[in-house]
PDB file of all heavy atoms in Angstrom:
ATOM      1  N   VAL A   1     -51.483  23.012  22.998  1.00  0.00           N
ATOM      2  CA  VAL A   1     -50.056  22.900  22.683  1.00  0.00           C
ATOM      3  C   VAL A   1     -49.895  21.591  21.943  1.00  0.00           C
ATOM      4  O   VAL A   1     -50.180  20.515  22.476  1.00  0.00           O
ATOM      5  CB  VAL A   1     -49.174  22.926  23.943  1.00  0.00           C
ATOM      6  CG1 VAL A   1     -47.710  22.681  23.576  1.00  0.00           C
ATOM      7  CG2 VAL A   1     -49.306  24.271  24.660  1.00  0.00           C
ATOM      8  N   LEU A   2     -49.464  21.682  20.701  1.00  0.00           N
ATOM      9  CA  LEU A   2     -49.447  20.543  19.786  1.00  0.00           C
ATOM     10  C   LEU A   2     -48.016  20.127  19.472  1.00  0.00           C
ATOM     11  O   LEU A   2     -47.278  20.862  18.821  1.00  0.00           O
ATOM     12  CB  LEU A   2     -50.189  20.929  18.499  1.00  0.00           C
ATOM     13  CG  LEU A   2     -50.166  19.956  17.325  1.00  0.00           C
ATOM     14  CD1 LEU A   2     -50.902  18.676  17.676  1.00  0.00           C
ATOM     15  CD2 LEU A   2     -50.786  20.612  16.087  1.00  0.00           C
ATOM     16  N   VAL A   3     -47.620  18.949  19.955  1.00  0.00           N
ATOM     17  CA  VAL A   3     -46.342  18.352  19.561  1.00  0.00           C
ATOM     18  C   VAL A   3     -46.640  17.404  18.409  1.00  0.00           C
ATOM     19  O   VAL A   3     -47.410  16.446  18.565  1.00  0.00           O
ATOM     20  CB  VAL A   3     -45.695  17.597  20.734  1.00  0.00           C
ATOM     21  CG1 VAL A   3     -44.506  16.771  20.250  1.00  0.00           C
ATOM     22  CG2 VAL A   3     -45.242  18.574  21.806  1.00  0.00           C
ATOM     23  N   GLU A   4     -46.055  17.667  17.256  1.00  0.00           N
ATOM     24  CA  GLU A   4     -46.441  16.885  16.076  1.00  0.00           C
ATOM     25  C   GLU A   4     -45.353  16.894  15.016  1.00  0.00           C
ATOM     26  O   GLU A   4     -44.607  17.864  14.881  1.00  0.00           O
ATOM     27  CB  GLU A   4     -47.750  17.458  15.497  1.00  0.00           C
ATOM     28  CG  GLU A   4     -48.374  16.656  14.392  1.00  0.00           C
ATOM     29  CD  GLU A   4     -48.512  15.192  14.745  1.00  0.00           C
ATOM     30  OE1 GLU A   4     -49.265  14.846  15.689  1.00  0.00           O
ATOM     31  OE2 GLU A   4     -47.832  14.373  14.083  1.00  0.00           O
ATOM     32  N   HIS A   5     -45.271  15.772  14.263  1.00  0.00           N
ATOM     33  CA  HIS A   5     -44.327  15.667  13.149  1.00  0.00           C
ATOM     34  C   HIS A   5     -44.995  15.952  11.802  1.00  0.00           C
ATOM     35  O   HIS A   5     -44.304  16.208  10.826  1.00  0.00           O
ATOM     36  CB  HIS A   5     -43.724  14.261  13.101  1.00  0.00           C
ATOM     37  CG  HIS A   5     -42.732  13.985  14.185  1.00  0.00           C
ATOM     38  ND1 HIS A   5     -41.462  14.523  14.192  1.00  0.00           N
ATOM     39  CD2 HIS A   5     -42.812  13.230  15.304  1.00  0.00           C
ATOM     40  CE1 HIS A   5     -40.807  14.105  15.259  1.00  0.00           C
ATOM     41  NE2 HIS A   5     -41.607  13.319  15.957  1.00  0.00           N
ATOM     42  N   ASP A   6     -46.304  15.867  11.736  1.00  0.00           N
ATOM     43  CA  ASP A   6     -47.012  16.069  10.478  1.00  0.00           C
ATOM     44  C   ASP A   6     -47.065  17.568  10.177  1.00  0.00           C
ATOM     45  O   ASP A   6     -47.890  18.307  10.712  1.00  0.00           O
ATOM     46  CB  ASP A   6     -48.429  15.488  10.589  1.00  0.00           C
ATOM     47  CG  ASP A   6     -49.166  15.457   9.253  1.00  0.00           C
ATOM     48  OD1 ASP A   6     -49.151  16.493   8.549  1.00  0.00           O
ATOM     49  OD2 ASP A   6     -49.745  14.418   8.920  1.00  0.00           O
ATOM     50  N   MET A   7     -46.188  18.001   9.291  1.00  0.00           N
ATOM     51  CA  MET A   7     -46.053  19.432   9.024  1.00  0.00           C
ATOM     52  C   MET A   7     -47.251  20.018   8.285  1.00  0.00           C
ATOM     53  O   MET A   7     -47.579  21.192   8.452  1.00  0.00           O
ATOM     54  CB  MET A   7     -44.768  19.714   8.232  1.00  0.00           C
ATOM     55  CG  MET A   7     -43.509  19.537   9.054  1.00  0.00           C
ATOM     56  SD  MET A   7     -43.492  20.613  10.514  1.00  0.00           S
ATOM     57  CE  MET A   7     -43.904  19.443  11.799  1.00  0.00           C
ATOM     58  N   GLU A   8     -47.928  19.209   7.505  1.00  0.00           N
ATOM     59  CA  GLU A   8     -49.114  19.712   6.818  1.00  0.00           C
ATOM     60  C   GLU A   8     -50.189  20.078   7.834  1.00  0.00           C
ATOM     61  O   GLU A   8     -50.827  21.137   7.731  1.00  0.00           O
ATOM     62  CB  GLU A   8     -49.644  18.659   5.839  1.00  0.00           C
ATOM     63  CG  GLU A   8     -50.811  19.148   4.999  1.00  0.00           C
ATOM     64  CD  GLU A   8     -51.230  18.151   3.936  1.00  0.00           C
ATOM     65  OE1 GLU A   8     -50.451  17.218   3.651  1.00  0.00           O
ATOM     66  OE2 GLU A   8     -52.347  18.306   3.396  1.00  0.00           O
ATOM     67  N   LEU A   9     -50.375  19.228   8.837  1.00  0.00           N
ATOM     68  CA  LEU A   9     -51.331  19.526   9.894  1.00  0.00           C
ATOM     69  C   LEU A   9     -50.889  20.737  10.706  1.00  0.00           C
ATOM     70  O   LEU A   9     -51.693  21.629  11.006  1.00  0.00           O
ATOM     71  CB  LEU A   9     -51.497  18.309  10.819  1.00  0.00           C
ATOM     72  CG  LEU A   9     -52.401  18.531  12.032  1.00  0.00           C
ATOM     73  CD1 LEU A   9     -53.852  18.665  11.592  1.00  0.00           C
ATOM     74  CD2 LEU A   9     -52.243  17.397  13.044  1.00  0.00           C
ATOM     75  N   VAL A  10     -49.611  20.778  11.068  1.00  0.00           N
ATOM     76  CA  VAL A  10     -49.083  21.883  11.871  1.00  0.00           C
ATOM     77  C   VAL A  10     -49.316  23.211  11.165  1.00  0.00           C
ATOM     78  O   VAL A  10     -49.800  24.183  11.770  1.00  0.00           O
ATOM     79  CB  VAL A  10     -47.582  21.669  12.152  1.00  0.00           C
ATOM     80  CG1 VAL A  10     -46.949  22.944  12.694  1.00  0.00           C
ATOM     81  CG2 VAL A  10     -47.384  20.528  13.143  1.00  0.00           C
ATOM     82  N   MET A  11     -48.986  23.278   9.888  1.00  0.00           N
ATOM     83  CA  MET A  11     -49.138  24.532   9.154  1.00  0.00           C
ATOM     84  C   MET A  11     -50.607  24.896   8.950  1.00  0.00           C
ATOM     85  O   MET A  11     -50.959  26.065   8.840  1.00  0.00           O
ATOM     86  CB  MET A  11     -48.413  24.448   7.809  1.00  0.00           C
ATOM     87  CG  MET A  11     -46.915  24.251   7.945  1.00  0.00           C
ATOM     88  SD  MET A  11     -46.127  25.544   8.937  1.00  0.00           S
ATOM     89  CE  MET A  11     -44.511  24.811   9.259  1.00  0.00           C
ATOM     90  N   ARG A  12     -51.460  23.890   8.925  1.00  0.00           N
ATOM     91  CA  ARG A  12     -52.894  24.149   8.732  1.00  0.00           C
ATOM     92  C   ARG A  12     -53.536  24.754   9.974  1.00  0.00           C
ATOM     93  O   ARG A  12     -54.311  25.706   9.859  1.00  0.00           O
ATOM     94  CB  ARG A  12     -53.605  22.841   8.366  1.00  0.00           C
ATOM     95  CG  ARG A  12     -55.126  22.931   8.398  1.00  0.00           C
ATOM     96  CD  ARG A  12     -55.785  21.568   8.256  1.00  0.00           C
ATOM     97  NE  ARG A  12     -57.177  21.601   8.690  1.00  0.00           N
ATOM     98  CZ  ARG A  12     -57.945  20.529   8.820  1.00  0.00           C
ATOM     99  NH1 ARG A  12     -57.464  19.333   8.534  1.00  0.00           N
ATOM    100  NH2 ARG A  12     -59.193  20.646   9.229  1.00  0.00           N
ATOM    101  N   VAL A  13     -53.230  24.236  11.161  1.00  0.00           N
ATOM    102  CA  VAL A  13     -54.018  24.605  12.346  1.00  0.00           C
ATOM    103  C   VAL A  13     -53.316  25.563  13.303  1.00  0.00           C
ATOM    104  O   VAL A  13     -53.977  26.188  14.136  1.00  0.00           O
ATOM    105  CB  VAL A  13     -54.441  23.338  13.135  1.00  0.00           C
ATOM    106  CG1 VAL A  13     -55.210  22.378  12.241  1.00  0.00           C
ATOM    107  CG2 VAL A  13     -53.247  22.641  13.782  1.00  0.00           C
ATOM    108  N   SER A  14     -52.003  25.699  13.218  1.00  0.00           N
ATOM    109  CA  SER A  14     -51.259  26.412  14.261  1.00  0.00           C
ATOM    110  C   SER A  14     -51.263  27.929  14.070  1.00  0.00           C
ATOM    111  O   SER A  14     -51.145  28.430  12.953  1.00  0.00           O
ATOM    112  CB  SER A  14     -49.808  25.922  14.302  1.00  0.00           C
ATOM    113  OG  SER A  14     -49.766  24.539  14.575  1.00  0.00           O
ATOM    114  N   ASP A  15     -51.369  28.631  15.195  1.00  0.00           N
ATOM    115  CA  ASP A  15     -51.198  30.082  15.194  1.00  0.00           C
ATOM    116  C   ASP A  15     -49.731  30.446  15.376  1.00  0.00           C
ATOM    117  O   ASP A  15     -49.246  31.419  14.804  1.00  0.00           O
ATOM    118  CB  ASP A  15     -52.018  30.704  16.328  1.00  0.00           C
ATOM    119  CG  ASP A  15     -53.500  30.441  16.163  1.00  0.00           C
ATOM    120  OD1 ASP A  15     -54.122  31.087  15.311  1.00  0.00           O
ATOM    121  OD2 ASP A  15     -54.038  29.575  16.885  1.00  0.00           O
ATOM    122  N   THR A  16     -49.026  29.665  16.197  1.00  0.00           N
ATOM    123  CA  THR A  16     -47.609  29.882  16.475  1.00  0.00           C
ATOM    124  C   THR A  16     -46.888  28.548  16.400  1.00  0.00           C
ATOM    125  O   THR A  16     -47.412  27.528  16.854  1.00  0.00           O
ATOM    126  CB  THR A  16     -47.404  30.488  17.877  1.00  0.00           C
ATOM    127  OG1 THR A  16     -48.138  31.711  17.975  1.00  0.00           O
ATOM    128  CG2 THR A  16     -45.934  30.758  18.154  1.00  0.00           C
ATOM    129  N   VAL A  17     -45.698  28.567  15.826  1.00  0.00           N
ATOM    130  CA  VAL A  17     -44.874  27.360  15.736  1.00  0.00           C
ATOM    131  C   VAL A  17     -43.552  27.618  16.444  1.00  0.00           C
ATOM    132  O   VAL A  17     -42.877  28.620  16.177  1.00  0.00           O
ATOM    133  CB  VAL A  17     -44.609  26.958  14.269  1.00  0.00           C
ATOM    134  CG1 VAL A  17     -43.742  25.696  14.207  1.00  0.00           C
ATOM    135  CG2 VAL A  17     -45.923  26.733  13.528  1.00  0.00           C
ATOM    136  N   VAL A  18     -43.201  26.741  17.373  1.00  0.00           N
ATOM    137  CA  VAL A  18     -41.929  26.802  18.096  1.00  0.00           C
ATOM    138  C   VAL A  18     -41.072  25.633  17.615  1.00  0.00           C
ATOM    139  O   VAL A  18     -41.528  24.486  17.607  1.00  0.00           O
ATOM    140  CB  VAL A  18     -42.159  26.693  19.622  1.00  0.00           C
ATOM    141  CG1 VAL A  18     -40.832  26.662  20.359  1.00  0.00           C
ATOM    142  CG2 VAL A  18     -43.029  27.836  20.112  1.00  0.00           C
ATOM    143  N   VAL A  19     -39.850  25.927  17.213  1.00  0.00           N
ATOM    144  CA  VAL A  19     -38.952  24.888  16.697  1.00  0.00           C
ATOM    145  C   VAL A  19     -37.840  24.623  17.709  1.00  0.00           C
ATOM    146  O   VAL A  19     -37.130  25.550  18.113  1.00  0.00           O
ATOM    147  CB  VAL A  19     -38.327  25.301  15.344  1.00  0.00           C
ATOM    148  CG1 VAL A  19     -37.517  24.135  14.765  1.00  0.00           C
ATOM    149  CG2 VAL A  19     -39.408  25.733  14.355  1.00  0.00           C
ATOM    150  N   LEU A  20     -37.696  23.372  18.115  1.00  0.00           N
ATOM    151  CA  LEU A  20     -36.630  22.965  19.026  1.00  0.00           C
ATOM    152  C   LEU A  20     -35.596  22.142  18.278  1.00  0.00           C
ATOM    153  O   LEU A  20     -35.924  21.390  17.347  1.00  0.00           O
ATOM    154  CB  LEU A  20     -37.191  22.129  20.184  1.00  0.00           C
ATOM    155  CG  LEU A  20     -38.254  22.764  21.079  1.00  0.00           C
ATOM    156  CD1 LEU A  20     -38.616  21.816  22.223  1.00  0.00           C
ATOM    157  CD2 LEU A  20     -37.786  24.103  21.629  1.00  0.00           C
ATOM    158  N   HIS A  21     -34.352  22.275  18.716  1.00  0.00           N
ATOM    159  CA  HIS A  21     -33.253  21.485  18.140  1.00  0.00           C
ATOM    160  C   HIS A  21     -32.244  21.227  19.249  1.00  0.00           C
ATOM    161  O   HIS A  21     -31.686  22.163  19.824  1.00  0.00           O
ATOM    162  CB  HIS A  21     -32.599  22.242  16.987  1.00  0.00           C
ATOM    163  CG  HIS A  21     -31.529  21.465  16.290  1.00  0.00           C
ATOM    164  ND1 HIS A  21     -31.737  20.217  15.747  1.00  0.00           N
ATOM    165  CD2 HIS A  21     -30.225  21.778  16.034  1.00  0.00           C
ATOM    166  CE1 HIS A  21     -30.615  19.782  15.191  1.00  0.00           C
ATOM    167  NE2 HIS A  21     -29.680  20.706  15.359  1.00  0.00           N
ATOM    168  N   PHE A  22     -32.046  19.949  19.590  1.00  0.00           N
ATOM    169  CA  PHE A  22     -31.163  19.560  20.696  1.00  0.00           C
ATOM    170  C   PHE A  22     -31.509  20.313  21.986  1.00  0.00           C
ATOM    171  O   PHE A  22     -30.628  20.795  22.698  1.00  0.00           O
ATOM    172  CB  PHE A  22     -29.689  19.771  20.322  1.00  0.00           C
ATOM    173  CG  PHE A  22     -29.196  18.796  19.291  1.00  0.00           C
ATOM    174  CD1 PHE A  22     -28.611  19.258  18.121  1.00  0.00           C
ATOM    175  CD2 PHE A  22     -29.298  17.427  19.486  1.00  0.00           C
ATOM    176  CE1 PHE A  22     -28.146  18.372  17.162  1.00  0.00           C
ATOM    177  CE2 PHE A  22     -28.839  16.536  18.528  1.00  0.00           C
ATOM    178  CZ  PHE A  22     -28.272  16.996  17.354  1.00  0.00           C
ATOM    179  N   GLY A  23     -32.812  20.434  22.262  1.00  0.00           N
ATOM    180  CA  GLY A  23     -33.254  21.043  23.504  1.00  0.00           C
ATOM    181  C   GLY A  23     -33.271  22.558  23.527  1.00  0.00           C
ATOM    182  O   GLY A  23     -33.666  23.153  24.529  1.00  0.00           O
ATOM    183  N   ARG A  24     -32.894  23.179  22.433  1.00  0.00           N
ATOM    184  CA  ARG A  24     -32.829  24.640  22.375  1.00  0.00           C
ATOM    185  C   ARG A  24     -33.840  25.173  21.378  1.00  0.00           C
ATOM    186  O   ARG A  24     -34.032  24.591  20.303  1.00  0.00           O
ATOM    187  CB  ARG A  24     -31.421  25.074  21.955  1.00  0.00           C
ATOM    188  CG  ARG A  24     -31.174  26.569  21.949  1.00  0.00           C
ATOM    189  CD  ARG A  24     -29.710  26.873  21.634  1.00  0.00           C
ATOM    190  NE  ARG A  24     -29.327  26.383  20.322  1.00  0.00           N
ATOM    191  CZ  ARG A  24     -29.440  27.091  19.197  1.00  0.00           C
ATOM    192  NH1 ARG A  24     -29.947  28.324  19.222  1.00  0.00           N
ATOM    193  NH2 ARG A  24     -29.057  26.577  18.036  1.00  0.00           N
ATOM    194  N   LYS A  25     -34.503  26.271  21.718  1.00  0.00           N
ATOM    195  CA  LYS A  25     -35.423  26.896  20.766  1.00  0.00           C
ATOM    196  C   LYS A  25     -34.625  27.665  19.722  1.00  0.00           C
ATOM    197  O   LYS A  25     -33.857  28.565  20.062  1.00  0.00           O
ATOM    198  CB  LYS A  25     -36.387  27.844  21.487  1.00  0.00           C
ATOM    199  CG  LYS A  25     -37.446  28.427  20.556  1.00  0.00           C
ATOM    200  CD  LYS A  25     -38.471  29.277  21.303  1.00  0.00           C
ATOM    201  CE  LYS A  25     -37.912  30.637  21.659  1.00  0.00           C
ATOM    202  NZ  LYS A  25     -38.958  31.529  22.237  1.00  0.00           N
ATOM    203  N   ILE A  26     -34.850  27.323  18.448  1.00  0.00           N
ATOM    204  CA  ILE A  26     -34.109  28.012  17.384  1.00  0.00           C
ATOM    205  C   ILE A  26     -34.998  28.943  16.579  1.00  0.00           C
ATOM    206  O   ILE A  26     -34.478  29.771  15.804  1.00  0.00           O
ATOM    207  CB  ILE A  26     -33.407  27.012  16.441  1.00  0.00           C
ATOM    208  CG1 ILE A  26     -34.433  26.124  15.721  1.00  0.00           C
ATOM    209  CG2 ILE A  26     -32.402  26.163  17.217  1.00  0.00           C
ATOM    210  CD1 ILE A  26     -33.804  25.269  14.626  1.00  0.00           C
ATOM    211  N   ALA A  27     -36.321  28.818  16.733  1.00  0.00           N
ATOM    212  CA  ALA A  27     -37.209  29.707  15.977  1.00  0.00           C
ATOM    213  C   ALA A  27     -38.595  29.697  16.599  1.00  0.00           C
ATOM    214  O   ALA A  27     -38.997  28.717  17.236  1.00  0.00           O
ATOM    215  CB  ALA A  27     -37.295  29.284  14.510  1.00  0.00           C
ATOM    216  N   GLU A  28     -39.321  30.787  16.401  1.00  0.00           N
ATOM    217  CA  GLU A  28     -40.714  30.887  16.841  1.00  0.00           C
ATOM    218  C   GLU A  28     -41.417  31.917  15.986  1.00  0.00           C
ATOM    219  O   GLU A  28     -40.864  32.979  15.685  1.00  0.00           O
ATOM    220  CB  GLU A  28     -40.811  31.291  18.314  1.00  0.00           C
ATOM    221  CG  GLU A  28     -42.241  31.419  18.826  1.00  0.00           C
ATOM    222  CD  GLU A  28     -42.308  31.750  20.311  1.00  0.00           C
ATOM    223  OE1 GLU A  28     -41.240  31.928  20.939  1.00  0.00           O
ATOM    224  OE2 GLU A  28     -43.430  31.839  20.842  1.00  0.00           O
ATOM    225  N   GLY A  29     -42.615  31.596  15.552  1.00  0.00           N
ATOM    226  CA  GLY A  29     -43.373  32.533  14.734  1.00  0.00           C
ATOM    227  C   GLY A  29     -44.523  31.826  14.055  1.00  0.00           C
ATOM    228  O   GLY A  29     -44.912  30.725  14.421  1.00  0.00           O
ATOM    229  N   THR A  30     -45.091  32.470  13.040  1.00  0.00           N
ATOM    230  CA  THR A  30     -46.130  31.822  12.247  1.00  0.00           C
ATOM    231  C   THR A  30     -45.508  30.711  11.410  1.00  0.00           C
ATOM    232  O   THR A  30     -44.275  30.620  11.283  1.00  0.00           O
ATOM    233  CB  THR A  30     -46.805  32.837  11.320  1.00  0.00           C
ATOM    234  OG1 THR A  30     -45.837  33.305  10.358  1.00  0.00           O
ATOM    235  CG2 THR A  30     -47.363  34.021  12.097  1.00  0.00           C
ATOM    236  N   GLY A  31     -46.356  29.890  10.819  1.00  0.00           N
ATOM    237  CA  GLY A  31     -45.837  28.824   9.972  1.00  0.00           C
ATOM    238  C   GLY A  31     -44.978  29.364   8.850  1.00  0.00           C
ATOM    239  O   GLY A  31     -43.908  28.823   8.552  1.00  0.00           O
ATOM    240  N   HIS A  32     -45.436  30.444   8.221  1.00  0.00           N
ATOM    241  CA  HIS A  32     -44.674  31.045   7.121  1.00  0.00           C
ATOM    242  C   HIS A  32     -43.322  31.560   7.607  1.00  0.00           C
ATOM    243  O   HIS A  32     -42.293  31.357   6.942  1.00  0.00           O
ATOM    244  CB  HIS A  32     -45.477  32.189   6.495  1.00  0.00           C
ATOM    245  CG  HIS A  32     -44.754  32.920   5.414  1.00  0.00           C
ATOM    246  ND1 HIS A  32     -44.573  32.394   4.145  1.00  0.00           N
ATOM    247  CD2 HIS A  32     -44.141  34.143   5.412  1.00  0.00           C
ATOM    248  CE1 HIS A  32     -43.886  33.260   3.413  1.00  0.00           C
ATOM    249  NE2 HIS A  32     -43.624  34.327   4.157  1.00  0.00           N
ATOM    250  N   GLU A  33     -43.310  32.212   8.771  1.00  0.00           N
ATOM    251  CA  GLU A  33     -42.053  32.753   9.295  1.00  0.00           C
ATOM    252  C   GLU A  33     -41.067  31.636   9.622  1.00  0.00           C
ATOM    253  O   GLU A  33     -39.865  31.752   9.329  1.00  0.00           O
ATOM    254  CB  GLU A  33     -42.334  33.589  10.542  1.00  0.00           C
ATOM    255  CG  GLU A  33     -43.062  34.899  10.248  1.00  0.00           C
ATOM    256  CD  GLU A  33     -43.583  35.575  11.502  1.00  0.00           C
ATOM    257  OE1 GLU A  33     -43.695  34.915  12.559  1.00  0.00           O
ATOM    258  OE2 GLU A  33     -43.886  36.779  11.434  1.00  0.00           O
ATOM    259  N   VAL A  34     -41.564  30.570  10.207  1.00  0.00           N
ATOM    260  CA  VAL A  34     -40.680  29.446  10.563  1.00  0.00           C
ATOM    261  C   VAL A  34     -40.151  28.759   9.318  1.00  0.00           C
ATOM    262  O   VAL A  34     -38.981  28.380   9.257  1.00  0.00           O
ATOM    263  CB  VAL A  34     -41.453  28.460  11.470  1.00  0.00           C
ATOM    264  CG1 VAL A  34     -40.722  27.125  11.564  1.00  0.00           C
ATOM    265  CG2 VAL A  34     -41.643  29.055  12.857  1.00  0.00           C
ATOM    266  N   GLN A  35     -41.003  28.592   8.301  1.00  0.00           N
ATOM    267  CA  GLN A  35     -40.580  27.963   7.051  1.00  0.00           C
ATOM    268  C   GLN A  35     -39.409  28.701   6.414  1.00  0.00           C
ATOM    269  O   GLN A  35     -38.571  28.090   5.748  1.00  0.00           O
ATOM    270  CB  GLN A  35     -41.738  27.917   6.057  1.00  0.00           C
ATOM    271  CG  GLN A  35     -42.760  26.824   6.330  1.00  0.00           C
ATOM    272  CD  GLN A  35     -43.876  26.854   5.310  1.00  0.00           C
ATOM    273  OE1 GLN A  35     -44.340  27.927   4.908  1.00  0.00           O
ATOM    274  NE2 GLN A  35     -44.318  25.683   4.877  1.00  0.00           N
ATOM    275  N   ASN A  36     -39.372  30.005   6.612  1.00  0.00           N
ATOM    276  CA  ASN A  36     -38.350  30.821   5.955  1.00  0.00           C
ATOM    277  C   ASN A  36     -37.263  31.302   6.916  1.00  0.00           C
ATOM    278  O   ASN A  36     -36.461  32.159   6.558  1.00  0.00           O
ATOM    279  CB  ASN A  36     -39.015  32.028   5.286  1.00  0.00           C
ATOM    280  CG  ASN A  36     -39.898  31.628   4.120  1.00  0.00           C
ATOM    281  OD1 ASN A  36     -39.422  31.385   3.021  1.00  0.00           O
ATOM    282  ND2 ASN A  36     -41.193  31.539   4.377  1.00  0.00           N
ATOM    283  N   HIS A  37     -37.238  30.740   8.132  1.00  0.00           N
ATOM    284  CA  HIS A  37     -36.228  31.131   9.115  1.00  0.00           C
ATOM    285  C   HIS A  37     -34.874  30.532   8.715  1.00  0.00           C
ATOM    286  O   HIS A  37     -34.763  29.319   8.498  1.00  0.00           O
ATOM    287  CB  HIS A  37     -36.639  30.641  10.500  1.00  0.00           C
ATOM    288  CG  HIS A  37     -35.803  31.210  11.607  1.00  0.00           C
ATOM    289  ND1 HIS A  37     -34.534  30.740  11.892  1.00  0.00           N
ATOM    290  CD2 HIS A  37     -36.063  32.202  12.506  1.00  0.00           C
ATOM    291  CE1 HIS A  37     -34.055  31.414  12.918  1.00  0.00           C
ATOM    292  NE2 HIS A  37     -34.951  32.304  13.306  1.00  0.00           N
ATOM    293  N   PRO A  38     -33.814  31.331   8.614  1.00  0.00           N
ATOM    294  CA  PRO A  38     -32.518  30.834   8.135  1.00  0.00           C
ATOM    295  C   PRO A  38     -31.981  29.657   8.927  1.00  0.00           C
ATOM    296  O   PRO A  38     -31.461  28.688   8.335  1.00  0.00           O
ATOM    297  CB  PRO A  38     -31.597  32.065   8.272  1.00  0.00           C
ATOM    298  CG  PRO A  38     -32.529  33.236   8.224  1.00  0.00           C
ATOM    299  CD  PRO A  38     -33.789  32.787   8.884  1.00  0.00           C
ATOM    300  N   GLU A  39     -32.082  29.703  10.265  1.00  0.00           N
ATOM    301  CA  GLU A  39     -31.522  28.610  11.059  1.00  0.00           C
ATOM    302  C   GLU A  39     -32.332  27.333  10.888  1.00  0.00           C
ATOM    303  O   GLU A  39     -31.770  26.233  10.855  1.00  0.00           O
ATOM    304  CB  GLU A  39     -31.459  28.993  12.540  1.00  0.00           C
ATOM    305  CG  GLU A  39     -30.664  27.986  13.368  1.00  0.00           C
ATOM    306  CD  GLU A  39     -30.379  28.465  14.778  1.00  0.00           C
ATOM    307  OE1 GLU A  39     -30.781  29.595  15.128  1.00  0.00           O
ATOM    308  OE2 GLU A  39     -29.739  27.710  15.528  1.00  0.00           O
ATOM    309  N   VAL A  40     -33.630  27.463  10.749  1.00  0.00           N
ATOM    310  CA  VAL A  40     -34.469  26.280  10.528  1.00  0.00           C
ATOM    311  C   VAL A  40     -34.131  25.648   9.185  1.00  0.00           C
ATOM    312  O   VAL A  40     -33.977  24.423   9.071  1.00  0.00           O
ATOM    313  CB  VAL A  40     -35.964  26.650  10.586  1.00  0.00           C
ATOM    314  CG1 VAL A  40     -36.835  25.448  10.232  1.00  0.00           C
ATOM    315  CG2 VAL A  40     -36.323  27.162  11.970  1.00  0.00           C
ATOM    316  N   ILE A  41     -34.000  26.460   8.169  1.00  0.00           N
ATOM    317  CA  ILE A  41     -33.631  25.954   6.836  1.00  0.00           C
ATOM    318  C   ILE A  41     -32.278  25.264   6.891  1.00  0.00           C
ATOM    319  O   ILE A  41     -32.087  24.171   6.343  1.00  0.00           O
ATOM    320  CB  ILE A  41     -33.614  27.103   5.812  1.00  0.00           C
ATOM    321  CG1 ILE A  41     -35.034  27.643   5.589  1.00  0.00           C
ATOM    322  CG2 ILE A  41     -33.018  26.626   4.492  1.00  0.00           C
ATOM    323  CD1 ILE A  41     -35.092  28.876   4.714  1.00  0.00           C
ATOM    324  N   HIS A  42     -31.326  25.869   7.578  1.00  0.00           N
ATOM    325  CA  HIS A  42     -29.983  25.294   7.665  1.00  0.00           C
ATOM    326  C   HIS A  42     -29.986  23.967   8.405  1.00  0.00           C
ATOM    327  O   HIS A  42     -29.384  22.985   7.958  1.00  0.00           O
ATOM    328  CB  HIS A  42     -29.039  26.264   8.368  1.00  0.00           C
ATOM    329  CG  HIS A  42     -27.662  25.710   8.570  1.00  0.00           C
ATOM    330  ND1 HIS A  42     -26.749  25.579   7.537  1.00  0.00           N
ATOM    331  CD2 HIS A  42     -27.045  25.216   9.684  1.00  0.00           C
ATOM    332  CE1 HIS A  42     -25.637  25.046   8.007  1.00  0.00           C
ATOM    333  NE2 HIS A  42     -25.788  24.812   9.307  1.00  0.00           N
ATOM    334  N   VAL A  43     -30.707  23.909   9.536  1.00  0.00           N
ATOM    335  CA  VAL A  43     -30.697  22.704  10.363  1.00  0.00           C
ATOM    336  C   VAL A  43     -31.408  21.553   9.682  1.00  0.00           C
ATOM    337  O   VAL A  43     -30.921  20.424   9.663  1.00  0.00           O
ATOM    338  CB  VAL A  43     -31.340  22.987  11.736  1.00  0.00           C
ATOM    339  CG1 VAL A  43     -31.625  21.691  12.488  1.00  0.00           C
ATOM    340  CG2 VAL A  43     -30.426  23.883  12.566  1.00  0.00           C
TER     341      VAL A  43
END
């Protein structure tokens, strides 16, 4: 379980990416899916 700010590393090694915002999960999926998730883009 990798907590990290370096997005290049995250997208390189991760199978699943979970995105948190103010303590709430707003997205989960592959790196590509998270990159294109509407709420992630908006936030």
Side-chain angles (χ1 to χ4, degrees):
V1 175
L2 173 66
V3 170
E4 188 50 64
H5 287 286
D6 189 312
M7 289 302 103
E8 185 174 345
L9 176 70
V10 167
M11 297 303 166
R12 169 189 162 188
V13 304
S14 300
D15 298 285
T16 303
V17 180
V18 176
V19 186
L20 301 184
H21 184 55
F22 290 125
R24 184 175 61 89
K25 185 175 77 173
I26 63 171
E28 180 177 2
T30 65
H32 177 75
E33 290 168 342
V34 165
Q35 282 180 320
N36 293 279
H37 191 282
E39 190 170 359
V40 175
I41 293 173
H42 176 74
V43 167

